[in-house]
Amino acid sequence: GQGGHPLVACIRVAGEREGKPELECSGAAIFSDNRLVGYLDENQTLACQLIRGEPVHASLYLNQSGTSVEIERKKTQVQRSTEGAVVFVGLDVSVTGKKNILDTEEILRETQTEVKQLMQSTINQVQQQYGMDLFKIGSALQESGQNTITWEQNFASFPVSVQVSAQLKNAGQTLQ
């Protein structure tokens, strides 16, 4: 295969309201050959969805500036490079909540950095821990004419890098 093992949302009971359970998504379960082989947390699941090119609209808390942003995936493209594969992801970013006249360019840079680090660490962990292409990178490379016959055997050691570009969609409200 060329990757893209099934991910199934994990739901957990987060509490109770008016006697009814409150449910929330808590990541994804990873399957291979119809067997559960592991889990991704919420952030790793977000990274996987971005890399797979799935529709994404998510909230992200930026640790450095303490700013909350909403991110939407605009496009994902996977290309073969001389070293391996490069995943390009374009995001629309909306600053949510109020901000103290923060530099929007700085927020975009911080968003790009945090999303890139999240995606890269998720790829590295999945390669080391599971050796499986959950991200459909092999499928994308095959579509562009790459030979992926031995993809599953080689994915664990295949170099994959990430590039993220972010564009401001909404700057939020400024505190006076």
Side-chain angles (χ1 to χ4, degrees), residues 32-72:
S32 180
D33 297 325
N34 296 322
R35 287 190 345 266
L36 175 67
V37 295
Y39 295 95
L40 298 177
D41 69 20
E42 293 94 339
N43 288 334
Q44 292 169 325
T45 302
L46 171 62
C48 190
Q49 290 173 311
L50 288 169
I51 297 165
R52 283 180 166 207
E54 294 173 1
V56 168
H57 186 120
S59 296
L60 195 63
Y61 179 77
L62 303 175
N63 294 313
Q64 191 177 334
S65 64
T67 306
S68 291
V69 295
E70 295 279 327
I71 60 170
E72 289 179 68

Side-chain angles (χ1 to χ4, degrees), residues 28-167:
I30 304 167
F31 286 86
S32 180
D33 297 325
N34 296 322
R35 287 190 345 266
L36 175 67
V37 295
Y39 295 95
L40 298 177
D41 69 20
E42 293 94 339
N43 288 334
Q44 292 169 325
T45 302
L46 171 62
C48 190
Q49 290 173 311
L50 288 169
I51 297 165
R52 283 180 166 207
E54 294 173 1
V56 168
H57 186 120
S59 296
L60 195 63
Y61 179 77
L62 303 175
N63 294 313
Q64 191 177 334
S65 64
T67 306
S68 291
V69 295
E70 295 279 327
I71 60 170
E72 289 179 68
R73 186 195 65 80
K74 282 197 313 191
K75 69 174 194 154
T76 299
Q77 187 177 13
V78 178
Q79 293 180 350
R80 180 71 195 241
S81 70
T82 52
E83 300 82 41
V86 183
V87 179
F88 297 94
V89 175
L91 301 174
D92 275 336
V93 178
S94 298
V95 179
T96 54
K98 299 190 185 311
K99 61 186 178 82
N100 287 314
I101 311 178
L102 285 169
D103 181 0
T104 53
E105 287 301 312
E106 189 57 42
I107 291 172
L108 288 176
R109 276 193 296 276
E110 187 179 353
T111 302
Q112 285 176 197
T113 300
E114 290 208 18
V115 171
K116 179 179 177 173
Q117 288 171 346
L118 172 63
M119 289 168 49
Q120 194 69 63
S121 67
T122 300
I123 291 169
N124 295 346
Q125 182 181 346
V126 167
Q127 283 180 312
Q128 291 166 11
Q129 198 168 344
Y130 305 110
M132 300 174 4
D133 179 9
L134 302 178
F135 312 103
K136 301 183 180 178
I137 293 169
S139 297
L141 291 175
Q142 185 184 37
E143 284 176 18
S144 65
Q146 297 295 319
N147 180 351
T148 56
I149 291 171
T150 59
W151 180 250
E152 285 297 323
Q153 296 91 319
N154 296 326
F155 178 72
S157 59
F158 195 80
V160 179
S161 62
V162 174
Q163 295 295 323
V164 176
S165 66
Q167 180 177 330

